[in-house]
Amino acid sequence: KQMNEEIMGLYRSEGVNPAGGCFPMLIQLPVFFAFYSLLSSAVELWRSPWIGWIHDLTASDPYYVLPIVMGLSQIVQQRMTPAPPDPVQKRLMQFLPVVFTIFSLGFASGLVLYWLTNNVLTIVQQKLYNSVKGFSVNTFLQALLVNSLGGPQITGSKGDVIIDALTVGTLPSSI
């Protein structure tokens, strides 16, 4: 019990949500199952061409390109997030992209395309988050004032320029 309280205290002090990894997936599962049902029963989508080798969004990818790219995107997405401290859990998490890739080999191309698009958008979102991580509103306002007076640039944790006179208006609204 004391160990769980210490872990929760650590989560609070570091600003980590313990349900952050599972909760978004739980929200997404009904959409995933609905899309799966739609693709398996929609007559309008049957044999509707998309691009290149995909001639039917309701059928599986004949060359397995989309499932493999989806698996690679899961690996990239997984590498961008912190690894679990437990070695068994870490090994399981490393194995899951392979399992999902094998499962998706038989899924409809439209479903794998949805999953791939979701992975790519999540990777972009994580990259944006990592670039502005630790960047507070006070720092933004100070940088805005400094830049309006022609001052120096503000750099992020990796040395990339976050704010200069040209990019002040292009920052994400989540700051």
Side-chain angles (χ1 to χ4, degrees), residues 12 15 28 34 38-40 43 46 50 63 65 75 80 83 107 120 122 140 152 162 165 170:
R12 269 186 242 111
Q28 186 178 334
L38 172 84
L39 287 172
S40 63
V43 177
W46 191 63
W50 182 53
Y63 302 114
V65 174
I75 291 171
M80 293 179 75
F107 286 165
V120 169
T122 303
F140 175 72
I162 292 179
T170 60

Side-chain angles (χ1 to χ4, degrees), residues 71-84 90-91 93-95 97 123 126 130 158:
L72 292 174
S73 71
Q74 281 188 328
I75 291 171
V76 169
Q77 182 180 0
Q78 185 181 57
R79 299 259 167 99
M80 293 179 75
T81 57
K90 181 179 179 182
R91 177 67 69 194
M93 294 304 284
Q94 289 173 341
F95 188 65
I123 289 168
Q126 188 67 37
N130 288 345
K158 296 182 180 178

Side-chain angles (χ1 to χ4, degrees), residues 92-139:
L92 177 69
M93 294 304 284
Q94 289 173 341
F95 188 65
L96 281 178
V98 175
V99 171
F100 282 123
T101 302
I102 292 170
F103 282 156
S104 68
L105 291 175
F107 286 165
S109 298
L111 186 64
V112 179
L113 177 65
Y114 163 76
W115 205 332
L116 173 64
T117 305
N118 185 37
N119 287 348
V120 169
L121 291 175
T122 303
I123 289 168
V124 169
Q125 179 186 15
Q126 188 67 37
K127 253 192 97 68
L128 283 173
Y129 174 76
N130 288 345
S131 70
V132 295
K133 188 177 178 181
F135 194 71
S136 68
V137 174
N138 290 336
T139 308

